[in-house]
Each structure stands twice: as structure tokens, then as C-alpha cells.
Amino acid sequence: MIRPRRSLLFMPGSNARALEKARSLPADGIILDLEDSVAPDAKAMARDQIAKAIAAGGFGKREVLIRVNSLDTPWWVDDVTMAGRARPDGILVPKISTVADLSAIANRLSDINADMSIRVWAMIETARAVLDADKLAAASRDSETRLAGFVFGPNDISRETRIRMQPGRAAMIPMITHCILATRAHGLEILDGPYSDISNIDGFATECAQGRDLGFDGKTLIHPSHIEACNVIFTPPAEEVAEARKIIAAFEKPENASRGAIQLDGRMVERLHADMARRTIAIADAIAAMAH
């Protein structure tokens, strides 16, 4: 089952109004945050509010993740314990750098007998994580890690590496591509990091389109005003879906059943195009199902 992840919006766990609003926003997913958006003295209160919000439900078909604090903080054990008991769809862990980090999360979830349906998402925010992206992704072969995918974190990577965040992200593209290859090699998903200049909608749309073309499955967001543009950009266009259906229909004709390549509208189409077409249709159908 393909799940749309065009837009995943961060919402501060310490803001009760934001948690309520999250239930009605048109994002594909909501990330209830305990990390950057929550002050140190509000961590415990945010933890309680998030647990209550998930217990109350009402998020509909939206995917619900909890972002915990990183493993170098005093809060992560309590965060993961609460998250494991609250049973969101997933737990997003910042600054994962090693397979040992993934194991620490897995062990804590195992200790509290957390439901195996809870997935783990790793934020790639350090030089070590980028360099070892393949090792991290390969850890998903052990089902105990629960690893579903990566969220690329450009701002933290920029801070650690001194690679400047410039419009167009030219200097970051090799790292982005490296991480995308690692996820695809191991059948995982990957989401782009947020765009910080909230008021620059054109700049945001450009970065969204770039992320889509690079191969990201969607984008994490820090402001509700970005949801609509993000959803549009990561939705397969109607003409692309129509073309995909045409390709599938052509290969399903009895005379093409055993053929590896066929002619369609004057061009050669191969079986690999049919595979790509099936994914396009599956994503489009899943998006349509979200709307109902």
C-alpha cells in the first residue's frame, strides 16, 4: 500500500491550539514536535499534550508522527517511552548518525513492548549520517529497527559542514542524491527538509519542484501556508496519470502479453515504463482516497 507523503507539517507539541488545528489541515501528515519548537522547560508538558491529542484521535487519514529529542539530550528516553505507548504511525528521531543510534531507539521500544506498527524515521542532519547513509538504510533489513525512511535536514547539515544554504542548493545536491540512492537501494522512503523563508512562496515552490525532481517522496513543512503548493507539486499531473493508464492498458492487450517493448503513439515503451506507470497510478489513487 502506497501512502501519500507529499506534505508533513511540524506542529509544536507545547501549543494546544496548534495540536487542535492539525486535525483540519490538508497535509498528508502531521509531525507533533518535542524538539526544536519546544522550550526545555516545556518538554514534559508537550509530552503530556501530545499523548492526550493522539488518544483523542480525530486526525483522519493523516499520518501522525512524533518527533522526539535527539539521543544526546536528557529527554529522549521519556519521549520515546511516551511515543511508544501513544501509538502514533511513526517516531521521527533527530540527528541519527550511526546504526547504534537506531539500535538504541529500537531497544527502548522493545523494552516497553511498543506495537510493531510504529515505524521509525531517521533525520539525516550530520556529516556522519550522510557519509554512512547506506549503512543506516541497510539497518532496515533488521525488522527490529522499524526503519521506514529518512528526513533530510539541510539546515543542521549546513551548520555542521559549513556548506552554505543558497537558493537552488547546488552545493547540497551531491549529498541529497547520495541519501536518496541509499534509501532506494533498501526500499525506503525519503522526505525533503523544510524551507525556512516562510514568506517566499515562489522560492518555496521552486525548492519543492526541485525536491520532487531529485526523487524525494514529499517535503516536511514548518508553516501551514506551504501545504497547498507542496501538495500540488508532489501530486502527479492529470496528463501524467492518463499517460500511465494508457501504457498499462497497452501492455495488458493479449498481443503484447509476452513483449518486453511496444510502440505507443510513435515511441518505444518498455516494461520498466509500465512499472513506473503503476507507481504513478498508485500514488494518484492514494491521493484521491485521502480526499474522501
Side-chain angles (χ1 to χ4, degrees), residues 11-16 19 23 32-34 42-59 64-68 78-88:
M11 293 299 246
S14 52
N15 184 333
L19 296 181
R23 294 182 168 92
L32 306 177
D33 191 27
L34 289 166
K43 301 285 188 190
M45 178 266 283
R47 214 177 282 128
D48 291 344
Q49 286 199 161
I50 287 174
K52 284 175 183 154
I54 291 177
F59 292 96
V64 178
L65 306 185
I66 296 173
R67 178 165 70 170
V68 298
D78 288 340
D79 291 350
V80 173
T81 302
M82 177 279 288
R85 289 177 178 148
R87 288 183 65 171

Side-chain angles (χ1 to χ4, degrees), residues 153-175:
N155 294 319
D156 282 281
I157 287 171
S158 174
R159 181 179 63 189
E160 185 178 316
T161 61
R162 301 181 207 131
I163 293 169
R164 293 192 177 183
M165 285 284 288
Q166 302 280 20
R169 301 193 286 187
M172 285 228 166
I173 287 175
M175 298 196 296

Side-chain angles (χ1 to χ4, degrees), residues 2-288:
I2 285 178
R3 183 168 204 161
R5 294 192 171 99
R6 298 167 297 174
S7 53
L8 273 85
L9 177 70
F10 284 103
M11 293 299 246
S14 52
N15 184 333
R17 196 166 141 267
L19 296 181
E20 185 55 44
K21 191 179 179 186
R23 294 182 168 92
S24 60
L25 293 169
D28 288 343
I30 301 294
I31 303 169
L32 306 177
D33 191 27
L34 289 166
E35 197 211 11
D36 286 347
S37 65
V38 178
D41 61 359
K43 301 285 188 190
M45 178 266 283
R47 214 177 282 128
D48 291 344
Q49 286 199 161
I50 287 174
K52 284 175 183 154
I54 291 177
F59 292 96
K61 293 175 182 174
R62 293 167 195 83
E63 188 166 19
V64 178
L65 306 185
I66 296 173
R67 178 165 70 170
V68 298
N69 285 281
S70 59
L71 276 70
D72 59 355
T73 70
W75 304 295
W76 79 269
V77 173
D78 288 340
D79 291 350
V80 173
T81 302
M82 177 279 288
R85 289 177 178 148
R87 288 183 65 171
D89 296 299
I91 297 172
L92 177 60
V93 189
K95 297 180 182 64
I96 289 285
S97 290
T98 65
V99 174
D101 293 343
L102 290 172
S103 297
I105 299 293
N107 291 340
R108 184 66 203 141
L109 290 170
S110 173
D111 288 346
I112 60 167
N113 293 316
D115 195 284
M116 280 307 291
S117 66
I118 302 169
R119 310 298 291 160
V120 169
W121 290 78
M123 294 199 74
I124 303 299
E125 300 180 290
T126 66
R128 174 53 54 202
V130 173
L131 287 169
D132 287 349
D134 183 56
K135 284 184 193 169
L136 293 172
S140 64
R141 288 197 297 252
D142 176 0
S143 62
E144 290 294 312
T145 66
R146 305 159 179 260
L147 189 63
F150 293 165
V151 174
F152 188 79
N155 294 319
D156 282 281
I157 287 171
S158 174
R159 181 179 63 189
E160 185 178 316
T161 61
R162 301 181 207 131
I163 293 169
R164 293 192 177 183
M165 285 284 288
Q166 302 280 20
R169 301 193 286 187
M172 285 228 166
I173 287 175
M175 298 196 296
I176 291 171
T177 307
H178 176 71
C179 292
I180 288 171
L181 289 173
T183 56
R184 300 306 181 224
H186 298 283
L188 303 179
E189 301 268 297
I190 184 166
L191 305 173
D192 199 358
Y195 185 79
S196 302
D197 188 356
I198 294 166
S199 60
N200 183 358
I201 291 293
D202 289 344
F204 170 73
T206 300
E207 187 168 289
C208 257
Q210 180 202 44
R212 175 202 62 204
D213 294 347
L214 283 167
F216 283 114
D217 293 296
K219 194 164 179 66
T220 52
L221 312 175
I222 52 173
H223 199 273
S225 65
H226 287 171
I227 298 171
E228 190 180 340
C230 191
N231 283 348
V232 168
I233 289 164
F234 279 98
T235 298
E239 58 273 19
E240 201 176 290
V241 178
E243 179 66 15
R245 294 193 194 281
K246 201 171 179 182
I247 289 169
I248 298 298
F251 272 108
E252 284 175 350
K253 288 181 177 174
E255 63 267 30
N256 293 331
S258 62
R259 296 174 69 180
I262 58 172
Q263 269 204 13
L264 184 66
D265 299 336
R267 62 191 179 90
M268 292 304 293
V269 178
E270 299 176 53
R271 289 268 168 202
L272 67 90
H273 296 115
D275 293 340
M276 291 160 75
R278 280 189 199 92
R279 181 173 169 80
T280 298
I281 293 164
I283 280 282
D285 288 349
I287 289 167

